[in-house]
Amino acid sequence: MAVLKVIEVLSSSTVSWEDATQKAVAQASKSLKNIRSVYVQEQSATVKDGKVGEYRMNLKVTFELE
């Protein structure tokens, strides 16, 4: 039987929401093993001079405990 844990992480990117998600997973993978999935809880963006300046993600990361 597997035991899973869920943590919440925040990430941002000046490129896209997808890039922000990739950055969050890459960074979380440095300290967490056995990441199983990510759930996008919330998306937002900052606006500067009428253009999107930064894409922001609030993600839940699920990983298996050893």
Side-chain angles (χ1 to χ4, degrees):
M1 180 180 120
V3 177
L4 305 175
K5 182 170 183 163
V6 178
I7 63 167
E8 190 171 336
V9 298
L10 306 174
S11 182
S12 64
S13 170
T14 56
V15 178
S16 68
W17 280 298
E18 291 84 2
D19 186 54
T21 302
Q22 290 289 347
K23 286 181 178 182
V25 171
Q27 187 66 32
S29 294
K30 292 180 182 179
S31 59
L32 300 174
K33 297 180 183 178
N34 305 317
I35 294 177
R36 297 289 183 229
S37 65
V38 293
Y39 170 76
V40 176
Q41 187 171 356
E42 185 177 355
Q43 295 175 307
S44 63
T46 62
V47 176
K48 184 176 180 181
D49 298 325
K51 296 183 179 182
V52 173
E54 186 177 58
Y55 299 89
R56 296 180 175 172
M57 301 290 289
N58 184 339
L59 303 163
K60 290 192 175 187
V61 179
T62 303
F63 60 99
E64 184 177 339
L65 298 176
E66 292 183 345

